Amino acid sequence: MVVGVHLLAEADLRLDAAPIDYVLLGVYFVVVLGIGALARRSVSSSLDFFLSGRSLPAWVTGLAFISANLGAVEIFGMTANGAQYGIPTMHYYWIGAIPAMVFLGLVMMPFYYGSKVRSVPEFLLRRFGKFAHLVNGLSFAAAQVLIAGVNLFALATVVNLLLGWPLWLSVVVASVIVLAYTSLGGLKAAVYNEVMQFFVIVAMMLPLTFVGLHKVGGWDGLVAKITAASPGTASEQLNSWPGMNLTGIGNATLSVLGIVFGLGFVLSFGYWTTNFAEVQRAMSAKSMSAARRTPLIGAYPKTFIALIIIIPGMIAAVLVPELAAFKQGQDTGVTYNNAILLLIRDLLPNGMLGIAITGLLAAFMAGMAANVSSFNTVFTYDLWQAYVRKDKPDEYYLRVGRVVTALGCLVAIGTAFIASNFTNIMDYLQTLFGFFNAPLFATFLLGMFWKRMTPLAGGLGLIAGTASAITVDVLNRNDVLNLAGQGASFVAASAAFVVDIAVSVLVSLVTRPKPDAELVGLVWSLTPRERLRHDDTGENAGWYRKPGVLAAGVLVVTLALNIIFW
């Protein structure tokens, strides 16, 4: 991948940016840093820095919730997937996101927000004790700096392409920009920047999608070009089910099972309901009602944004000569990760090019800031305060948080080069999610609905689940399983989930559970129903603000889109 990046920096493939493009980029950076400086004024405690003092309205946290996810995973990874696999990539949104976001808003947030925990690992501390808490704190911190490296690598690739700087210099400069505003204003700076970045990203992707469709002759023209380029596999690329090209599973029934269970349940629910980089945005809302609405509000743009991210990838695979040749097996010095950059290069004029570059940088900065802001919270509260320096003044932990923010950016510089070795970063990201999120979701699900689950089971289940996912990955890399595409990550996640559940049940049956009195508010059956009800008074009044109404609406829209692109 590093070779591909350097080839892209050559004169014949460089983005031909004009002064107006650099002016737009400069204005964006001034606004980003200005938001960080303004947010700093409201940071007087560690809770302000890490959770915005729990003061933000639902519409702000809802857009930030989605924008935090609109990083390299979406822009590079999903356009790469669109170019490589086509329509089956939609499963990452309509099967692999929306149901889990609805579950988070309706079921999980009352426990997170109601218990007033400051992080997801802290919820594990209250439910299971220190062993599970430490295991999750360490694994989550590791996962976030690895994923931050993905966003940083993608961001640096854009800088490399625009300015021709060496990759290492681009990585360092990009990390300094993110560090500047996250260390200034903490989560509030990150959240308000993410709201702005959401609109910048849409302003980039909408015209790119429409211009691209016009260039290929509309949707019918795109279908015709894909069919002509790949007559043998066109049907797999143009129909979402059974998605065998995406899973790498040759049997249609097993492929559907892999998508529904591996992606739609284990990976998706594991990511959206337990990933603190996302949940942190909902935790910063001003009320329980706002916290519950956060993922439900975010689900609406998430449903439609799939169209303006995946379709451009499909367009790039037939419109960009180098990428079309690469898809046919030729070595052209590019990879699927370059799909969005190559499409921007070929389709957009100056001025619009500046908006596109700004949109890319906004996406990667939003993603990396989400990783870094969640990393500094977990490291400070769940590792440093809990196990290293207890009972210090609040100002001490505020200082630690700012130092750890810099540390996270520094480590991300190193992990960025790990991401550079993957031709499709979605393969890398799904592998990480299988390692870290899938077993965590199993532990949460069992612990939340089965009061008999014990503290020791919580920790051992996490370890066993992670180990099983790693084992599947190693077996596949050594050609024992021979799973192509992203099927290996689906199988690894499924194995992690099943093994975690099995180990947790067995250990629970031979160890002592916590008393019921200690589980109130942490287990469904022991939590008073009034804690789970929607507050419909004051600014939360109105039928359109009810979580159930919001959830039903987005599920209907998602079902309709699944039928249309069947």
Side-chain angles (χ1 to χ4, degrees):
M1 178 60 193
V2 176
V3 174
V5 170
H6 286 303
L7 285 171
L8 280 170
E10 297 297 329
D12 60 334
L13 288 177
R14 281 274 303 278
L15 294 178
D16 187 20
I20 183 62
D21 301 314
Y22 289 99
V23 169
L24 289 170
L25 196 58
V27 169
Y28 170 73
F29 285 132
V30 169
V31 173
V32 164
L33 296 174
I35 291 174
L38 289 172
R40 184 184 177 90
R41 298 178 183 178
S42 61
V43 176
S44 59
S45 69
S46 64
L47 190 66
D48 291 334
F49 186 78
F50 294 120
L51 287 175
S52 302
R54 290 196 171 101
S55 62
L56 301 177
W59 74 269
V60 170
T61 54
L63 288 179
F65 188 91
I66 284 306
S67 186
N69 181 250
L70 275 174
V73 178
E74 300 284 329
I75 308 301
F76 268 27
M78 290 303 179
T79 53
N81 257 16
Q84 186 172 0
Y85 303 115
I87 290 296
T89 306
M90 298 290 185
H91 291 313
Y92 281 101
Y93 295 78
W94 301 334
I95 300 296
I98 303 304
M101 294 169 72
V102 168
F103 184 80
L104 173 63
L106 296 182
V107 178
M108 301 284 281
M109 282 316 301
F111 291 94
Y112 285 140
Y113 200 89
S115 61
K116 294 300 180 185
V117 295
R118 299 167 298 183
S119 68
V120 169
E122 189 173 329
F123 184 88
L124 284 181
L125 175 63
R126 297 192 186 181
R127 174 62 181 88
F128 297 113
K130 289 187 175 181
F131 180 38
H133 175 247
L134 181 59
V135 170
N136 181 234
L138 291 171
S139 66
F140 179 83
Q144 291 314 297
V145 293
L146 287 168
I147 298 171
V150 175
N151 283 292
L152 182 55
F153 170 72
L155 206 165
T157 302
V158 177
V159 176
N160 170 273
L161 192 64
L162 179 63
L163 302 177
W165 293 355
L167 185 64
W168 69 268
L169 181 59
S170 304
V171 165
V172 172
V173 171
S175 65
V176 168
I177 295 168
V178 174
L179 172 62
Y181 75 80
T182 51
S183 60
L184 278 172
L187 182 63
K188 184 170 288 188
V191 164
Y192 278 106
N193 267 313
E194 284 159 5
V195 171
M196 177 190 68
Q197 287 159 346
F198 172 81
F199 292 105
V200 173
I201 293 164
V202 172
M204 170 191 71
M205 297 305 301
L206 269 177
L208 194 63
T209 303
F210 289 132
V211 172
L213 282 173
H214 175 74
K215 196 83 170 179
V216 296
W219 178 255
D220 290 339
L222 177 61
V223 170
K225 288 183 180 297
I226 291 175
T227 303
S230 308
T233 62
S235 177
E236 292 182 356
Q237 295 181 58
L238 295 170
N239 295 280
S240 58
W241 298 99
M244 291 186 291
N245 63 339
L246 181 69
T247 63
I249 299 172
N251 181 279
T253 301
L254 293 178
S255 179
V256 171
L257 182 64
I259 290 171
V260 173
F261 183 73
L263 172 62
F265 181 62
V266 179
L267 276 171
S268 170
F269 278 66
Y271 176 82
W272 290 102
T273 67
T274 65
N275 180 17
F276 184 51
E278 299 295 333
V279 175
Q280 186 181 28
R281 273 76 194 143
M283 284 185 175
S284 68
K286 62 168 59 176
S287 66
M288 169 73 82
S289 177
R292 295 186 70 187
R293 294 201 307 272
T294 293
L296 300 174
I297 291 171
Y300 283 88
K302 180 71 174 178
T303 301
F304 291 103
I305 210 163
L307 300 172
I308 62 172
I309 288 181
I310 295 169
I311 291 175
M314 298 169 65
I315 294 170
V318 296
L319 206 58
V320 177
E322 301 96 326
L323 196 60
F326 174 76
K327 193 168 184 177
Q328 297 300 321
Q330 300 177 35
D331 183 6
T332 59
V334 302
T335 69
Y336 292 116
N337 284 342
N338 307 133
I340 189 70
L341 295 172
L342 292 165
L343 196 63
I344 288 172
R345 178 205 66 181
D346 287 356
L347 294 186
L348 299 185
N350 289 329
M352 186 59 71
L353 180 61
I355 294 174
I357 295 168
T358 303
L360 285 174
L361 295 181
F364 306 144
M365 288 169 65
M368 183 181 173
N371 300 135
V372 171
S373 62
S374 58
F375 168 78
N376 65 24
T377 304
V378 168
F379 188 96
T380 303
Y381 282 150
D382 295 291
L383 297 176
W384 195 261
Q385 184 181 34
Y387 300 103
V388 182
R389 288 286 187 270
K390 300 179 181 179
D391 304 320
K392 291 286 187 179
D394 186 71
E395 307 85 63
Y396 171 81
Y397 297 112
L398 178 57
R399 290 196 302 272
V400 169
R402 287 200 163 102
V403 171
V404 170
T405 300
L407 176 65
C409 289
L410 184 64
V411 176
I413 291 174
T415 61
F417 291 95
I418 300 176
S420 70
N421 294 315
F422 287 78
T423 59
N424 185 336
I425 57 176
M426 276 303 299
D427 295 343
Y428 177 51
L429 287 164
Q430 293 304 316
T431 299
L432 293 179
F433 295 153
F435 289 175
F436 299 113
N437 293 111
L440 180 59
F441 174 60
T443 296
F444 261 86
L445 194 65
L446 194 61
M448 189 172 289
F449 292 102
W450 189 39
K451 68 177 184 178
R452 181 67 179 77
M453 187 174 177
T454 65
L456 183 61
L460 291 180
L462 284 173
I463 293 172
T466 301
S468 65
I470 293 173
T471 300
V472 170
D473 184 68
V474 171
L475 290 175
N476 192 60
R477 291 180 188 279
N478 287 279
D479 300 323
V480 176
L481 296 179
N482 295 313
L483 290 169
Q486 285 153 21
S489 62
F490 299 168
V491 173
S494 301
F497 182 86
V498 172
V499 169
D500 189 306
I501 293 288
V503 170
S504 297
V505 169
L506 290 174
V507 173
S508 293
L509 293 176
V510 296
T511 53
R512 179 176 298 178
K514 297 177 75 171
D516 286 2
E518 297 180 19
L519 299 176
V520 175
L522 302 173
V523 175
W524 183 269
S525 62
L526 299 176
T527 301
R529 295 285 80 89
E530 57 267 17
R531 290 195 187 184
L532 307 177
R533 293 195 184 102
H534 168 67
D535 174 20
D536 57 2
T537 61
E539 63 182 16
N540 298 320
W543 64 268
Y544 55 90
R545 289 195 178 100
K546 291 183 178 180
V549 172
L550 290 169
V554 77
L555 288 176
V556 169
V557 171
T558 303
L559 177 62
L561 288 169
N562 263 294
I563 294 172
I564 291 170
F565 287 91
W566 190 275

